[in-house]
C-alpha cells in the first residue's frame, strides 16, 4: 500500500539479525561498546585501504548470517553499496558469496535505501530473506573526494570526518523481532549549497523534507516516535534540520538524534562529527538495534541522508543535490 | 518551486546557513602559522649556520640548506608527522619549502598502490602541479617587471 511517497508493509518484514564492524577511532566512542568487531588496525591486515573497506563489509555480511544462524543457502539476495567509484567495495565483497547481488548507490543514505528495498522485496514475497549492508573507510573516501592522507592541510570548522566501518542487517519474513512498518522514498533536494566541506547544511533540507513527508503520510507527530534518527548531518546539520522542520510546523528537537553527532567522542579534529555511508550503518546496526531489541526504544524513524555529488560535479561548480530515505521500525 | 522563487529561497537558505557555521578562528590560525612557520625558518637558518661552519658558501650553501629542509619535509611526511603539524599550523607549514616537499611526497605515498608508473609517478604532482604552474607564471611576471624598471 502506498500513500504519498510512503509505502506501508502489510506483512511486516523483520530485522532478523544485524552486525557492525568499526574502525579504531570509532572504537573510542560510544559505538565501541556496541559493535560486534572493533578494529585496532584500520588496514584490517590488508595491503590497501580499499581492500580493508571491502573486508569490513564482507565481515559485516558474514557476521549477519552467523548471528542469525543462517548460511548462504538461506539468503535470497544481497543489497549493498558504498561510496567508492563504481561501488567497488560492495561488488568485490559480493564476489565472495554465492548470492544474487543488487548494487545500490545513494551515497551516505545507502543503508536506509537498501533496508527499504530489502523490506519491499520481503514484504512482496519475492524473497524470503535479504541482507542489506554498507560501509565506508576514512582513508579511501579521503583519497577519492579530498586530498592525500599525509598532506598537511587544515580542515575548516564545518567539515566532518568519514567513518571507518561497515554494518548490515538481515531482513526476513518472521514472527518476532523488530518490525519494519513503512518506508518513505526520498526526493532529491538541492538548496544551492556548493561548499563540499559543509555536507551537513547541504543534506539537512533533504532530511527535513523526507521526515516531514513521512509524518504527513503516516499521520503521525514527532512525539509518537522514541527517536528520529538521521544519518550524518553532524552537529551543524542537526541544528539546521531542527530549524527547517520547526519552520514547517513539526518540532523534532526532542526526539532527534544524529548518527554523525554521536559516533565520536568529542575530539577537535572531527569538528561537526562523522559522515559517510558507514556512519549510519554502524550506529544503526549496533547501538540503535540493540537498544530496540532491549525494549528501550519502541518506535523509531531512521532517515539516513546522502550527498549525491562527485569530485567532477563539485569541481565544475555545481551545487550539491542530496537525498534522504526513511524507514520506520517498531518493536 | 522553479525559477526566481527557487533562487530566492536558495539564497535565503544560504544566508541562514552562513549564520550557523562556526567561525574560522583567524587570529589563532595566524598566530600558530606565524609561530610554526617562523620555527621552520629558524631551523633552516640553524642548518645554514652549521653548513657555513663546515665550509660551504654562496650558491652551494643556499642549495644545500634547501636540500636538507626538503629531505626533512619528505622524511616527516613519510613518518606521518607532517600532516599532524599541518593540522595545527595551517599556512605555517604549507608556505615554507618543507610544505612543498610534503605536497609532492604525500600523493606519491597515497597512489603507490596503483603502481609505480601510473600511480606514484603520474600522480605525484596532483597537488604540487598547481604550485609549480603558478610559481613559474608569477616568476615570469616579476622577472619582466624587474627587467623594465
Amino acid at each position: 500500500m502506498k500513500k504519498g511517497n510512503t509505502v506501508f508493509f502489510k506483512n511486516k518484514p523483520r530485522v532478523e539479525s544485524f552486525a557492525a564492524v568499526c574502525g579504531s577511532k570509532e572504537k573510542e566512542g560510544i559505538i565501541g561498546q556496541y559493535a560486534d568487531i572493533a578494529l585496532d588496525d584500520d588496514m584490517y591486515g590488508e595491503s590497501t585501504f580499499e581492500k580493508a573497506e571491502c573486508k569490513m563489509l564482507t565481515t559485516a555480511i558474514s557476521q549477519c548470517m552467523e548471528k542469525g544462524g543462517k548460511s548462504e543457502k538461506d539468503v535470497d539476495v544481497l543489497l549493498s553499496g558504498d561510496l567508492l567509484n563504481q561501488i567497488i567495495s560492495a561488488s568485490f565483497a559480493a564476489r565472495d558469496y554465492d548470492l544474487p547481488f543488487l548494487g545500490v548507490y545513494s551515497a551516505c543514505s545507502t543503508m536506509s535505501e537498501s533496508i527499504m528495498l530489502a523490506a519491499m522485496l520481503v514484504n512482496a514475497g519475492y524473497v524470503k530473506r535479504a541482507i542489506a549492508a554498507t560501509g565506508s573507510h576514512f582513508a579511501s573516501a579521503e583519497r577519492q573526494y579530498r586530498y592525500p592522507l599525509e598532506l598537511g592541510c587544515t580542515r575548516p570548522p564545518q567539515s566532518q570526518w568519514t567513518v571507518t566501518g561497515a554494518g548490515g542487517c538481515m531482513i526476513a519474513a518472521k514472527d518476532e523481532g523488530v518490525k519494519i512498518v513503512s518506508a518513505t522514498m526520498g526526493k532529491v533536494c538541492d538548496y544551492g549549497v556548493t561548499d563540499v566541506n559543509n555536507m551537513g547544511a547541504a543534506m539537512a533540507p533533504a532530511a527535513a523534507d523526507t521526515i516531514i513527508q513521512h509524518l504527513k503520510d503516516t499521520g503521525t507527530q514527532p512525539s509518537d516516535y522514541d527517536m528520529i534518527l538521521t544519518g550524518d548531518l553532524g552537529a551543524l546539520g542537526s541544528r539546521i534540520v531542527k530549524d527547517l522542520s520547526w519552520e514547517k510546523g513539526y518540532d523534532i528537537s526532542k526526539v532527534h538524534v544524529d548518527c554523525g553527532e554521536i559516533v565520536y567522542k568529542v575530539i577537535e579534529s572531527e569538528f561537526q562529527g562523522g559522515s559517510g555511508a558507514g556512519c549510519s550503518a554502524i550506529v544503526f546496526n549496533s547501538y540503535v538495534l540493540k537498544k530496540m531489541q532491549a525494549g528501550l526504544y519502541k518506535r523509531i524513524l531512521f532517515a539516513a541522508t546522502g550527498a549525491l555529488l562527485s569530485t567532477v560535479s563539485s569541481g565544475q561548480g555545481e551545487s550539491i543535490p542530496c537525498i534522504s530515505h526513511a524507514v520506520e521500525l517498531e518493536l | 518551486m522553479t525559477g526566481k522563487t527557487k533562487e530566492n529561497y536558495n539564497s535565503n537558505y544560504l544566508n541562514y546557513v552562513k549564520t550557523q557555521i562556526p567561525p574560522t578562528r583567524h587570529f589563532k590560525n595566524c598566530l600558530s602559522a606565524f609561530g610554526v612557520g617562523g620555527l621552520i625558518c629558524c631551523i633552516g637558518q640553524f642548518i645554514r649556520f652549521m653548513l657555513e661552519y663546515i665550509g660551504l658558501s654562496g650558491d652551494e650553501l643556499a642549495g644545500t640548506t634547501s636540500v636538507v629542509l626538503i629531505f626533512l619535509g619528505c622524511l616527516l611526511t613519510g613518518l606521518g608527522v607532517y600532516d599532524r603539524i599541518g593540522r595545527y599550523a595551517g599556512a605555517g607549514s604549507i608556505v615554507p619549502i618543507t610544505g612543498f616537499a610534503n605536497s609532492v611526497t604525500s600523493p606519491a605515498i597515497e597512489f603507490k598502490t596503483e603502481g609505480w608508473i601510473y600511480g606514484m609517478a603520474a600522480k605525484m604532482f596532483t597537488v604540487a602541479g598547481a604550485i609549480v604552474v603558478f610559481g613559474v607564471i608569477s616568476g615570469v611576471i616579476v622577472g619582466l617587471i624587474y627587467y623594465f624598471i
Side-chain angles (χ1 to χ4, degrees), chain B residues 22-126:
Chain B
T24 308
R25 282 172 283 180
H26 290 296
F27 183 73
K28 188 185 154 273
N29 287 354
C30 287
L31 206 67
S32 56
F34 179 78
V36 177
L39 190 69
I40 293 173
C41 295
C42 287
I43 294 168
Q45 193 60 39
F46 175 73
I47 292 166
R48 196 185 161 96
F49 281 146
M50 287 296 113
L51 290 172
E52 210 169 10
Y53 185 70
I54 60 168
L56 291 179
S57 62
D59 283 349
E60 251 179 8
L61 177 62
T64 319
T65 312
S66 303
V67 167
V68 172
L69 280 173
I70 290 170
F71 169 75
L72 287 175
C74 293
L75 183 72
L76 290 176
T77 306
L79 293 174
V81 179
Y82 206 85
D83 61 315
R84 284 169 202 218
I85 302 173
R87 208 175 292 162
Y88 296 103
S93 63
I94 293 172
V95 175
I97 201 164
T98 47
F100 185 73
N102 170 254
S103 70
V104 176
T105 321
S106 57
I109 297 170
E110 185 86 14
F111 292 103
K112 197 181 68 193
T113 54
E114 285 166 37
W116 293 101
I117 296 169
Y118 293 110
M120 189 209 67
K123 291 187 176 156
M124 196 186 257
F125 290 93
T126 47

Side-chain angles (χ1 to χ4, degrees), chain A residues 18-317:
Chain A
F18 51 88
V21 182
C22 76
S24 56
K25 205 180 178 76
E26 291 70 23
K27 190 182 172 181
E28 292 166 20
I30 192 164
I31 300 309
Q33 310 155 24
Y34 292 91
D36 297 281
I37 297 170
L39 307 176
D40 290 313
D41 165 28
D42 282 351
M43 288 293 270
Y44 208 178
E46 294 288 336
S47 54
T48 68
F49 291 117
E50 284 75 13
K51 281 184 187 164
E53 182 177 329
C54 180
K55 192 176 171 183
M56 284 194 307
L57 199 49
T58 315
T59 314
I61 296 166
S62 298
Q63 278 281 318
C64 256
M65 289 195 247
E66 207 175 288
K67 282 172 77 180
K70 302 290 178 220
S71 68
E72 278 171 59
K73 282 201 303 284
D74 306 310
V75 181
D76 294 314
V77 66
L78 168 68
L79 292 109
S80 181
D82 60 273
L83 293 180
L84 299 183
N85 288 338
Q86 288 81 38
I87 54 168
I88 51 170
S89 299
S91 322
F92 286 21
R95 78 178 162 189
D96 291 345
Y97 297 98
D98 186 22
L99 281 177
F101 164 67
L102 296 175
V104 177
Y105 181 79
S106 182
C108 315
S109 66
T110 306
M111 193 68 231
S112 59
E113 183 176 344
S114 51
I115 291 176
M116 178 172 77
L117 293 171
M120 284 174 177
L121 289 171
V122 172
N123 183 63
Y126 295 129
V127 302
K128 277 207 186 67
R129 195 167 276 111
I131 292 182
T134 183
S136 62
H137 196 297
F138 170 72
S140 63
E142 209 54 21
R143 171 221 281 263
Q144 182 173 308
Y145 291 101
R146 295 178 194 95
Y147 301 109
L149 278 187
E150 299 298 334
L151 187 70
C153 56
T154 43
R155 287 165 168 276
Q158 69 269 31
S159 66
Q160 287 169 273
W161 190 275
T162 308
V163 163
T164 302
C169 57
M170 191 151 75
I171 290 149
K174 270 183 65 180
D175 293 329
E176 57 205 36
V178 177
K179 284 179 283 201
I180 301 170
V181 184
S182 60
T184 304
M185 301 175 280
K187 285 180 287 196
V188 174
C189 285
D190 190 340
Y191 277 28
V193 175
T194 48
D195 181 4
V196 289
N197 284 310
N198 198 353
M199 290 296 183
M203 294 191 291
D209 184 75
T210 303
I211 292 169
I212 291 168
Q213 183 72 46
H214 184 87
L215 296 173
K216 275 185 191 161
D217 291 345
T218 54
T220 49
Q221 285 298 317
S223 53
D224 296 333
Y225 297 88
D226 291 323
M227 186 201 264
I228 292 179
L229 187 74
T230 51
D232 52 352
L233 297 175
L236 174 63
S238 298
R239 276 206 302 280
I240 297 174
V241 79
K242 281 174 205 165
D243 281 1
L244 286 176
S245 34
W246 182 79
E247 195 189 46
K248 299 259 165 70
Y250 292 92
D251 182 14
I252 62 163
S253 59
K254 284 200 185 73
V255 283
H256 175 260
V257 175
D258 183 67
C259 298
E261 211 177 353
I262 61 167
V263 71
Y264 291 116
K265 222 166 66 173
V266 182
I267 310 169
E268 209 181 332
S269 59
E270 286 96 46
F271 297 108
Q272 302 301 330
S275 71
C279 180
S280 55
I282 63 169
V283 176
F284 179 75
N285 290 303
S286 60
Y287 180 77
V288 176
L289 281 176
K290 269 187 189 166
K291 291 228 157 165
M292 272 198 98
Q293 271 190 341
L296 287 164
Y297 301 127
K298 297 268 187 285
R299 190 182 190 186
I300 71 156
L301 180 64
F302 171 48
T305 44
L308 306 171
L309 81 166
S310 82
T311 45
V312 178
S313 72
S314 57
Q316 291 173 348

